[in-house]
Amino acid sequence: MMNLFAWKRLVSLYLFLLVAQTLSSSAKADNVFSYLQEKYEEMPEKGRFAAGAVAGFVGSRVAVRSAVTIIKVAGAAYIATEVMNAAGVLDDIDVRLSDEQTELVQGLKRRALTLADEFRTTVRRRLNPDKIKLLMEKDRMATMGVATGAFVGFLL
């Protein structure tokens, strides 16, 4: 019989796969990006600067908050594992899965790796450094807006 910890891991993995599957639909993403690019190109220079400033501000705030959250979670996890070790909870961990459960876990693992690879290639295609450099050179107002927004976001 699987313990509660093993069930939580399986449910977490399943939810990750579900979210990743929803986000990795390349055809939908391409339609959204092409629509947004079309609307962006119709904007005047001041609008592009403002859009860049908002994107820079939001991006910097997300980056700072994410970094702080990761540090907090890592610290809390370290302290929790040290307490569990000192209390002897980690001394006799023995999780055994049935053959059926092992097959399910292996299938979920394969699917997670496939989705992670699809996500990686999508991000790599979208955030290609050469493409970003070309866009920065092409649209100076948006580049200045992103830099301004990021600067303000890091200050606040």
Side-chain angles (χ1 to χ4, degrees):
M1 175 143 174
M2 275 185 15
N3 63 14
L4 182 62
F5 181 69
W7 275 108
K8 283 183 179 180
R9 286 190 345 201
L10 283 176
V11 169
S12 297
L13 183 59
Y14 177 74
L15 289 175
F16 166 76
L17 290 173
L18 186 64
V19 169
Q21 177 65 34
T22 304
L23 295 177
S24 69
S25 177
S26 183
K28 291 179 192 174
D30 287 342
N31 288 340
V32 169
F33 281 114
S34 63
Y35 174 77
L36 290 175
Q37 185 176 6
E38 178 184 315
K39 292 300 179 184
Y40 176 78
E41 289 172 356
E42 294 174 2
M43 294 175 82
E45 282 193 2
K46 288 182 181 179
R48 291 180 182 192
F49 178 84
V54 169
F57 179 79
V58 170
S60 67
R61 298 305 299 158
V62 167
V64 168
R65 286 186 182 204
S66 297
V68 169
T69 301
I70 288 170
I71 291 169
K72 285 180 180 179
V73 168
Y78 175 74
I79 291 170
T81 56
E82 285 298 319
V83 169
M84 290 169 60
N85 185 41
V89 174
L90 300 178
D91 290 342
D92 41 298
I93 294 179
D94 188 22
V95 177
R96 296 178 193 253
L97 300 175
S98 69
D99 291 339
E100 181 181 310
Q101 293 166 338
T102 302
E103 283 181 32
L104 175 66
V105 169
Q106 291 301 323
L108 289 173
K109 181 180 176 183
R110 278 192 304 276
R111 185 69 182 138
L113 291 174
T114 301
L115 289 172
D117 187 52
E118 287 175 5
F119 177 74
R120 180 188 64 80
T121 56
T122 301
V123 168
R124 211 169 193 187
R125 189 183 61 203
R126 296 278 180 216
L127 299 180
N128 183 344
D130 295 332
K131 207 176 195 182
I132 292 173
K133 183 178 179 183
L134 182 67
L135 288 173
M136 288 175 65
E137 291 170 353
K138 178 182 160 191
D139 197 354
R140 297 239 183 248
M141 288 302 285
T143 303
M144 290 188 330
V146 168
T148 303
F151 179 75
V152 171
F154 284 130
L155 287 179
L156 298 180

